[in-house]
Amino acid sequence: DTAVSQTPKYLVTQMGNDKSIKCEQNLGHDTMYWYKQDSKKFLKIMFSYNNKELIINETVPNRFSPKSPDKAHLNLHINSLELGDSAVYFCASSQAGGAETQYFGPGTRLLVL
Amino acid sequence: AQKITQTQPGMFVQEKEAVTLDCTYDTSDQSYGLFWYKQPSSGEMIFLIYQGSYDEQNATEGRYSLNFQKARKSANLVISASQLGDSAMYFCAMSHTGTYKYIFGTGTRLKVLA
């Protein structure tokens, strides 16, 4: 059983389009996250959610809107995609926040043309 | 400011030898966790090992051990008996108790030579 899953695995789209990435965890964790990994492999947190509530928004443009319908799901919707949005997006979860081990999904490779 | 520094962008090690990947961190908090993750070329992020700031013993997980030196603020990863499958990018990360933010280092790319 996959602990943290993301769909789709690959996403190729045109500039200006809107796209969504879905994430689900079956670990029973309370906290979920979205990360962006750029072409230099730098991993930066975008959002943290605890029990469906937004806790951290790391100065991410408004075009990115996360949604957590329940504790097990955290989706990411991106409006008006730009070339600079091309990256790998990782979803992760942990039992709680802070000093708890995070488990990552397989990543979604987004390419904006 | 809270920060993770990995000063080795790339490392080589001969198969079956041990290798140490460096990680230093900067924090003024007392309660935090330190993590190491492996990212192979396939792209997934694999959790390797965790060290709590109050743990007195160094963490070990199979061939992985974490050399935790609190006064020096270092949390180096030691991989013993390197295998070809250990070739990957390795990330050090830190998070503080009561927060929901994890900070990652820039990573070290390890290549194991046959």
Side-chain angles (χ1 to χ4, degrees):
Chain A
D1 259 357
T2 305
V4 183
S5 59
Q6 290 178 235
T7 53
K9 197 168 167 74
Y10 299 97
L11 199 44
V12 181
T13 188
Q14 298 287 334
M15 237 175 18
N17 283 351
D18 302 340
K19 289 293 176 188
S20 291
I21 306 171
K22 294 187 175 183
C23 177
E24 177 182 0
Q25 54 97 2
N26 63 7
L27 297 167
H29 288 167
D30 287 342
T31 311
M32 296 185 73
Y33 312 81
W34 277 110
Y35 284 88
K36 180 180 180 181
Q37 186 175 43
D38 62 24
S39 57
K40 293 185 178 176
K41 299 292 189 183
F42 186 63
L43 202 62
K44 191 171 192 310
I45 195 163
M46 299 171 69
F47 301 103
S48 298
Y49 267 75
N50 186 56
N51 277 320
K52 304 191 298 175
E53 194 177 316
L54 177 66
I55 302 295
I56 286 181
N57 178 339
E58 279 290 296
T59 58
V60 178
N62 289 342
R63 300 183 294 104
F64 290 79
S65 51
K67 277 192 174 59
S68 182
D70 56 58
K71 268 187 359 176
H73 296 85
L74 180 62
N75 303 324
L76 184 65
H77 187 77
I78 316 170
N79 289 327
S80 304
L81 277 154
E82 299 177 358
L83 295 177
D85 297 332
S86 295
V88 180
Y89 291 85
F90 284 100
C91 176
S93 74
S94 64
Q95 180 57 54
E100 294 273 350
T101 300
Q102 289 185 314
Y103 295 91
F104 283 78
T108 295
R109 284 144 190 81
L110 172 64
L111 178 60
V112 183
L113 302 174
Chain B
Q2 296 165 358
K3 193 178 175 183
I4 292 278
T5 303
Q6 294 181 254
T7 56
Q8 306 151 314
M11 291 272 291
F12 289 95
V13 65
Q14 208 65 41
E15 199 179 4
K16 298 179 188 173
E17 291 186 353
V19 63
T20 298
L21 306 184
D22 294 342
C23 172
T24 57
Y25 59 93
D26 189 14
T27 182
S28 54
D29 287 357
Q30 297 302 310
S31 183
Y32 50 88
L34 296 155
F35 309 84
W36 277 92
Y37 287 86
K38 173 184 178 181
Q39 187 176 40
S41 57
S42 50
E44 69 269 33
M45 293 285 288
I46 302 166
F47 166 69
L48 295 178
I49 196 164
Y50 162 80
Q51 179 86 40
S53 59
Y54 292 116
D55 295 342
E56 293 186 355
Q57 303 261 16
N58 285 343
T60 59
E61 288 285 350
R63 292 185 301 110
Y64 304 108
S65 60
L66 200 152
N67 184 357
F68 181 46
Q69 298 192 34
K70 197 168 179 176
R72 289 186 171 187
K73 294 187 176 174
S74 75
N76 298 339
L77 177 71
V78 180
I79 306 175
S80 63
S82 296
Q83 301 172 355
L84 295 177
D86 294 334
S87 294
M89 194 80 165
Y90 289 81
F91 292 96
C92 180
M94 173 173 67
S95 183
H96 293 77
T97 305
T99 73
Y100 294 86
K101 186 172 176 178
Y102 293 70
I103 301 163
F104 282 76
T106 50
T108 295
R109 187 174 296 281
L110 177 68
K111 174 77 175 168
V112 180
L113 304 172

